[in-house]
Coordinates of all heavy atoms in Angstrom, one line a residue:
L39 N 6.8 -22.2 -8.1 CA 7.1 -20.9 -7.7 C 6.7 -19.9 -8.8 O 7.2 -19.9 -9.8 CB 8.5 -20.7 -7.3 CG 9.1 -21.6 -6.2 CD1 10.6 -21.3 -6.0 CD2 8.4 -21.4 -4.9
V41 N 6.7 -16.3 -10.0 CA 7.5 -15.1 -9.8 C 6.9 -13.9 -10.6 O 6.6 -14.0 -11.7 CB 8.9 -15.4 -10.4 CG1 9.8 -14.1 -10.2 CG2 9.5 -16.6 -9.7
V58 N 7.4 -13.7 -4.9 CA 7.3 -15.1 -5.2 C 6.1 -15.7 -4.4 O 6.0 -15.4 -3.2 CB 8.6 -15.8 -4.9 CG1 8.4 -17.3 -5.1 CG2 9.8 -15.3 -5.7
V65 N 6.3 -24.0 2.4 CA 7.6 -23.4 2.1 C 8.0 -22.5 3.2 O 7.3 -21.5 3.5 CB 7.5 -22.7 0.7 CG1 8.8 -22.0 0.4 CG2 7.1 -23.6 -0.4
D66 N 9.1 -22.8 3.8 CA 9.5 -22.0 5.0 C 10.7 -21.0 4.7 O 10.9 -20.2 5.6 CB 10.0 -22.9 6.2 CG 11.1 -23.9 5.8 OD1 11.4 -23.9 4.6 OD2 11.5 -24.6 6.6
A67 N 11.3 -21.1 3.6 CA 12.3 -20.1 3.2 C 12.4 -20.1 1.7 O 12.4 -21.1 1.0 CB 13.6 -20.5 3.8
V68 N 12.6 -18.8 1.1 CA 12.7 -18.6 -0.3 C 13.9 -17.7 -0.5 O 14.1 -16.7 0.3 CB 11.5 -18.0 -1.0 CG1 11.7 -17.8 -2.5 CG2 10.3 -18.9 -0.7
E69 N 14.7 -18.0 -1.5 CA 15.9 -17.1 -1.8 C 15.8 -16.6 -3.2 O 15.2 -17.3 -4.1 CB 17.2 -17.9 -1.7 CG 17.5 -18.4 -0.3 CD 18.7 -19.3 -0.2 OE1 19.0 -20.0 -1.3 OE2 19.4 -19.3 0.8
L70 N 16.4 -15.5 -3.5 CA 16.4 -14.9 -4.8 C 17.9 -15.0 -5.2 O 18.8 -14.5 -4.4 CB 15.9 -13.5 -4.8 CG 15.9 -12.8 -6.1 CD1 14.7 -13.4 -6.9 CD2 15.6 -11.3 -6.0
V71 N 18.2 -15.5 -6.4 CA 19.5 -15.6 -6.9 C 19.7 -14.7 -8.0 O 19.0 -14.8 -9.0 CB 19.9 -17.1 -7.2 CG1 21.3 -17.2 -7.7 CG2 19.6 -18.0 -6.1
L72 N 20.7 -13.8 -7.9 CA 21.0 -12.8 -9.0 C 22.3 -13.3 -9.7 O 23.3 -13.6 -9.1 CB 21.2 -11.4 -8.4 CG 20.0 -10.8 -7.7 CD1 20.4 -9.5 -7.0 CD2 18.8 -10.6 -8.6
Q73 N 22.2 -13.3 -11.0 CA 23.4 -13.7 -11.8 C 23.6 -12.6 -12.9 O 22.7 -12.0 -13.4 CB 23.1 -15.0 -12.6 CG 22.8 -16.2 -11.7 CD 22.4 -17.4 -12.6 OE1 21.7 -17.2 -13.5 NE2 22.9 -18.5 -12.2
D81 N 24.2 -22.5 -15.1 CA 24.8 -22.1 -13.9 C 23.7 -21.7 -12.9 O 22.8 -20.9 -13.2 CB 25.7 -20.9 -14.1 CG 26.6 -20.6 -12.9 OD1 26.6 -21.3 -11.9 OD2 27.2 -19.5 -12.9
L82 N 23.8 -22.3 -11.6 CA 22.8 -22.0 -10.6 C 23.4 -21.2 -9.5 O 22.8 -20.9 -8.5 CB 22.3 -23.3 -10.1 CG 21.5 -24.1 -11.1 CD1 20.9 -25.4 -10.4 CD2 20.3 -23.3 -11.7
A83 N 24.7 -20.8 -9.6 CA 25.3 -20.0 -8.6 C 25.1 -18.5 -8.9 O 24.8 -18.1 -10.0 CB 26.8 -20.3 -8.5
G84 N 25.3 -17.7 -7.9 CA 25.1 -16.2 -8.0 C 25.0 -15.6 -6.7 O 25.1 -16.2 -5.6
E85 N 24.7 -14.3 -6.7 CA 24.5 -13.6 -5.4 C 23.1 -13.9 -4.9 O 22.1 -13.8 -5.5 CB 24.6 -12.0 -5.7 CG 24.4 -11.2 -4.6 CD 24.4 -9.7 -4.9 OE1 24.7 -9.4 -6.1 OE2 24.1 -8.9 -4.0
V86 N 23.1 -14.3 -3.6 CA 21.8 -14.8 -3.0 C 21.3 -13.7 -2.1 O 22.0 -13.2 -1.2 CB 22.1 -16.1 -2.2 CG1 20.8 -16.6 -1.5 CG2 22.6 -17.2 -3.1
L87 N 20.0 -13.4 -2.3 CA 19.3 -12.5 -1.4 C 18.2 -13.2 -0.7 O 17.5 -14.0 -1.3 CB 18.7 -11.3 -2.3 CG 19.6 -10.4 -3.0 CD1 18.8 -9.4 -3.8 CD2 20.5 -9.7 -2.1
P88 N 18.0 -12.9 0.6 CA 16.9 -13.6 1.3 C 15.6 -12.9 0.9 O 15.6 -11.7 0.6 CB 17.2 -13.3 2.8 CG 18.1 -12.0 2.7 CD 18.8 -12.1 1.5
M89 N 14.5 -13.6 1.0 CA 13.2 -13.1 0.7 C 12.4 -13.1 2.0 O 12.6 -14.0 2.8 CB 12.5 -13.9 -0.4 CG 13.2 -13.8 -1.7 SD 12.2 -14.5 -3.1 CE 11.2 -13.1 -3.4
W97 N 6.2 -14.0 -0.8 CA 7.5 -13.7 -0.4 C 8.0 -12.5 -1.3 O 7.7 -12.3 -2.4 CB 8.5 -14.8 -0.6 CG 8.1 -16.0 0.3 CD1 7.1 -16.9 0.1 CD2 8.7 -16.4 1.5 NE1 7.1 -17.8 1.1 CE2 8.1 -17.5 2.0 CE3 9.8 -15.8 2.3 CZ2 8.4 -18.1 3.1 CZ3 10.2 -16.5 3.4 CH2 9.5 -17.7 3.9
Y110 N 17.7 -13.6 -13.0 CA 17.4 -14.0 -11.6 C 16.4 -15.2 -11.6 O 15.8 -15.4 -12.6 CB 16.8 -12.8 -10.8 CG 15.4 -12.4 -11.2 CD1 14.4 -12.9 -10.5 CD2 15.2 -11.5 -12.2 CE1 13.1 -12.5 -10.8 CE2 13.9 -11.2 -12.5 CZ 12.8 -11.7 -11.8 OH 11.6 -11.3 -12.1
F111 N 16.4 -15.9 -10.5 CA 15.5 -16.9 -10.3 C 15.3 -17.1 -8.8 O 16.1 -16.6 -8.0 CB 15.9 -18.3 -10.9 CG 17.1 -18.9 -10.4 CD1 17.1 -19.8 -9.4 CD2 18.4 -18.5 -10.9 CE1 18.3 -20.4 -8.9 CE2 19.5 -19.1 -10.5 CZ 19.5 -20.0 -9.4
A112 N 14.2 -17.7 -8.4 CA 13.9 -17.9 -7.0 C 14.0 -19.4 -6.7 O 13.8 -20.3 -7.6 CB 12.5 -17.5 -6.7
R113 N 14.5 -19.7 -5.5 CA 14.6 -21.2 -5.1 C 14.2 -21.3 -3.7 O 14.3 -20.4 -2.9 CB 16.0 -21.7 -5.3 CG 17.1 -21.1 -4.4 CD 18.4 -21.6 -4.8 NE 19.4 -21.0 -3.9 CZ 20.7 -21.0 -4.2 NH1 21.1 -21.5 -5.3 NH2 21.5 -20.4 -3.4
A114 N 13.7 -22.5 -3.4 CA 13.2 -22.9 -2.1 C 13.5 -24.4 -1.9 O 13.0 -25.2 -2.6 CB 11.8 -22.6 -1.8
R115 N 14.5 -24.7 -1.0 CA 14.9 -26.1 -0.9 C 15.4 -26.7 -2.2 O 16.3 -26.2 -2.8 CB 13.8 -27.0 -0.3 CG 13.6 -26.6 1.2 CD 12.7 -27.7 1.8 NE 12.0 -27.2 2.9 CZ 10.9 -27.7 3.4 NH1 10.4 -28.8 2.9 NH2 10.4 -27.2 4.5
R116 N 14.6 -27.7 -2.7 CA 15.1 -28.3 -4.0 C 14.2 -27.8 -5.2 O 14.2 -28.4 -6.2 CB 15.0 -29.8 -3.8 CG 15.9 -30.3 -2.7 CD 15.7 -31.8 -2.6 NE 16.7 -32.4 -3.4 CZ 16.8 -33.7 -3.6 NH1 16.0 -34.5 -3.1 NH2 17.7 -34.1 -4.3
V117 N 13.5 -26.8 -5.0 CA 12.6 -26.2 -6.0 C 13.2 -24.9 -6.5 O 13.7 -24.1 -5.8 CB 11.2 -25.9 -5.4 CG1 10.3 -25.3 -6.5 CG2 10.6 -27.1 -4.8
R118 N 13.1 -24.7 -7.8 CA 13.5 -23.4 -8.4 C 12.6 -23.0 -9.5 O 11.9 -23.8 -10.1 CB 15.0 -23.4 -8.9 CG 15.2 -24.0 -10.3 CD 16.5 -23.7 -10.8 NE 16.8 -24.3 -12.1 CZ 16.5 -23.7 -13.2 NH1 15.9 -22.6 -13.3 NH2 16.8 -24.4 -14.3
S119 N 12.6 -21.7 -9.7 CA 11.7 -21.2 -10.7 C 12.5 -21.1 -12.1 O 13.7 -21.4 -12.1 CB 11.2 -19.8 -10.4 OG 12.3 -18.9 -10.4
H120 N 11.8 -20.7 -13.1 CA 12.5 -20.4 -14.4 C 13.4 -19.2 -14.1 O 13.2 -18.4 -13.2 CB 11.5 -20.1 -15.4 CG 10.7 -21.3 -15.9 ND1 11.2 -22.1 -16.8 CD2 9.5 -21.7 -15.6 CE1 10.4 -23.1 -17.1 NE2 9.3 -22.9 -16.3

Side-chain angles (χ1 to χ4, degrees):
L39 300 177
V41 180
V58 175
V65 175
D66 57 356
V68 179
E69 298 174 329
L70 184 71
V71 180
L72 300 174
Q73 299 176 319
D81 190 10
L82 297 179
E85 181 182 352
V86 178
L87 297 177
M89 297 191 82
W97 296 77
Y110 72 95
F111 63 93
R113 68 181 178 199
R115 291 191 201 162
R116 302 178 90 188
V117 178
R118 82 165 174 89
S119 69
H120 288 278

